[in-house]
Amino acid sequence: MNYIPLILSGVCLNALAQIFLKKGMLMVGYFDFSLVNIGQIIFKVAGNPFIILGLGCYMFSVALWLLVLSRVEVSFAYPFLSIGYILTAIIGYTIFHETLSINKLTGIFFICLGVVFISKR
């Protein structure tokens, strides 16, 4: 059976979780981590809907990943997680206007190439 769609679903959910977490932390804003303000920080973070959504996506992605690991070799599945780097870089660029330098684009190309080689059995 072909488990690549299941693997990619978990990877996409994980990447989506990172995007939601980033959006949530942009809403929370920069803060200095100290014992003086820890209660306020926890309240702001725990009450943020994007962070809650991100954590939910992350938990679901972990459940999918456990399903994947029960069916395929970890040496086959694990490299697919690097696709998450590609997705988050592209989404970060389009949504958050983060930079995509030539070095990042070159790295993304080699990640894609590596995943293609590994996915061939």
Side-chain angles (χ1 to χ4, degrees):
M1 182 172 188
N2 183 4
Y3 291 105
I4 291 177
L6 185 63
I7 293 169
L8 293 178
S9 296
V11 168
C12 289
L13 267 174
N14 189 307
L16 188 60
Q18 301 308 313
I19 298 305
F20 284 137
L21 293 173
K22 174 66 176 176
K23 173 67 174 166
M25 289 312 294
L26 285 173
M27 293 171 71
V28 168
Y30 177 85
F31 59 87
D32 289 319
F33 190 75
S34 68
L35 290 178
V36 174
N37 63 358
I38 194 167
Q40 181 183 17
I41 294 167
I42 290 172
F43 182 74
K44 285 174 76 173
V45 169
N48 185 287
F50 285 100
I51 292 175
I52 293 167
L53 190 57
L55 291 174
C57 286
Y58 187 64
M59 287 173 43
F60 192 54
S61 77
V62 169
L64 275 177
W65 197 249
L66 292 174
L67 189 65
V68 165
L69 292 178
S70 73
R71 287 162 171 71
V72 301
E73 295 175 358
V74 70
S75 62
F76 174 76
Y78 191 72
F80 282 90
L81 289 176
S82 62
I83 293 172
Y85 302 137
I86 299 164
L87 294 175
T88 55
I90 293 169
I91 295 170
Y93 173 78
T94 56
I95 293 177
F96 302 122
H97 308 290
E98 296 178 354
T99 59
L100 263 182
S101 66
I102 191 69
N103 286 344
K104 285 183 185 178
L105 291 171
T106 303
I108 287 171
F109 169 76
F110 282 113
I111 289 170
C112 291
L113 190 61
V115 170
V116 167
F117 281 124
I118 288 170
S119 68
K120 302 290 182 192
R121 287 190 164 197

